[in-house]
Amino acid sequence: MSSIRNALRQVRLGHHEKEFDVLVNYLDGVTCVANLMRSDHDRFSVYRNAIEVLYETICDPLVSEQWRYYCLDHVYKPLLKAERYAKSESDRIALARIKIDMQILVPHFL
């Protein structure tokens, strides 16, 4: 679990912007954790957290532009998986809000 937290920190702050496998490893770790969850709502929460981390990184002007674009290129992975596990109305609404925010805000930051 600490390795996932470490990868999350590296992704969020863009410490290893030349090593793109950090992001891929983080997303693989998120999938492993989600697969350990019993309920669809818990899986949805894991993927939603990953989406929010990537979204915050994309919108952070202190992170290099190259790293932000790389995160933008990979945000679809947890997004698609979250859609699969969004069973309740509140989960679908939360996901819709994230998508709307991304459609509105992301073009202004890049």
Side-chain angles (χ1 to χ4, degrees):
M1 206 55 144
S2 66
S3 63
I4 291 176
R5 286 188 193 125
N6 187 33
L8 181 145
R9 192 174 13 257
Q10 291 174 349
V11 167
R12 177 59 188 93
L13 300 175
H15 283 308
H16 295 281
E17 61 188 48
K18 301 291 187 220
E19 301 174 21
F20 296 121
D21 60 334
V22 170
L23 179 58
V24 173
N25 291 338
Y26 167 68
L27 293 175
D28 288 344
V30 166
T31 300
C32 289
V33 169
N35 289 337
L36 295 174
M37 299 295 151
R38 292 180 184 246
S39 72
D40 286 345
H41 179 72
D42 291 339
R43 289 183 181 121
F44 172 80
S45 297
V46 170
Y47 288 120
R48 179 179 163 188
N49 185 40
I51 294 165
E52 289 173 353
V53 167
L54 293 177
Y55 178 69
E56 289 173 4
T57 305
I58 292 165
C59 295
D60 188 350
L62 299 177
V63 175
S64 76
E65 189 173 320
Q66 181 181 13
W67 186 253
R68 292 162 60 194
Y69 274 113
Y70 194 66
C71 289
L72 182 61
D73 287 344
H74 284 79
V75 74
Y76 75 92
K77 293 176 182 179
L79 189 59
L80 292 175
K81 291 179 181 178
E83 285 178 342
R84 182 182 316 155
Y85 295 112
K87 302 295 183 196
S88 71
E89 188 66 25
S90 63
D91 289 349
R92 287 191 289 275
I93 290 170
L95 199 55
R97 286 181 179 159
I98 291 170
K99 288 179 179 180
I100 290 168
D101 286 347
M102 288 182 66
Q103 290 173 350
I104 293 171
L105 296 177
V106 168
H108 297 287
F109 289 105
L110 297 177

